[in-house]
Amino acid sequence: DLDFSHVDLSSGVTNLKIVCFAAAIRLKLNPELAYQIRSNAFVSEVREFDQKLEFIVAPYEKHNRHFENSNRRLKIEIFSFISDIVIL
């Protein structure tokens, strides 16, 4: 579990890289937080809010509307063989 619901980022981009064989990640994000999530995995299952998405040999990338214009951004990159990501 990674809880970013009350995070106060410094100016610029905060990078978080996760490298593993099998990733089971649960992200709790503040809706006002500028974020980008990218998963590079052979198989990815992503549940973002009320939607379930599946990818095979295709990257998953998501950013919210705040990401491009914010001076405080969170960028999460996941490199794994299998990814199971839940975004709350």
Side-chain angles (χ1 to χ4, degrees), residues 5 14 24 27 39 47 50 52 54 62 64 77-79:
S5 59
T14 299
L27 297 168
S39 174
R47 287 173 296 251
D50 59 350
K52 182 178 176 182
E54 295 177 343
K62 168 83 175 184
N64 66 353
E77 292 183 279
I78 303 159
F79 301 94

Side-chain angles (χ1 to χ4, degrees), residues 18 20 27 34 56 62 82:
I18 300 168
C20 59
L27 297 168
I56 298 175
K62 168 83 175 184
I82 300 168

Side-chain angles (χ1 to χ4, degrees), residues 73-85:
R73 298 183 247 174
L74 175 64
K75 186 175 181 180
I76 301 171
E77 292 183 279
I78 303 159
F79 301 94
S80 64
F81 184 69
I82 300 168
S83 290
D84 181 14
I85 302 165

Side-chain angles (χ1 to χ4, degrees), residues 1-9 14 16 18 25-31 33 35 74 76:
D1 286 356
L2 298 172
D3 188 348
F4 294 102
S5 59
H6 301 290
V7 70
D8 185 20
L9 300 175
T14 299
L16 175 61
I18 300 168
I25 299 169
R26 185 177 160 113
L27 297 168
K28 189 172 183 182
L29 300 171
N30 180 333
L33 177 67
Y35 67 86
L74 175 64
I76 301 171

Side-chain angles (χ1 to χ4, degrees), residues 11-60:
S11 293
V13 178
T14 299
N15 289 299
L16 175 61
K17 292 186 181 182
I18 300 168
V19 180
C20 59
F21 180 76
I25 299 169
R26 185 177 160 113
L27 297 168
K28 189 172 183 182
L29 300 171
N30 180 333
E32 299 301 314
L33 177 67
Y35 67 86
Q36 177 185 50
I37 301 167
R38 176 181 290 166
S39 174
N40 293 301
F42 184 71
V43 177
S44 293
E45 181 176 292
V46 180
R47 287 173 296 251
E48 57 181 43
F49 310 108
D50 59 350
Q51 209 175 24
K52 182 178 176 182
L53 308 166
E54 295 177 343
F55 302 89
I56 298 175
V57 193
Y60 164 79

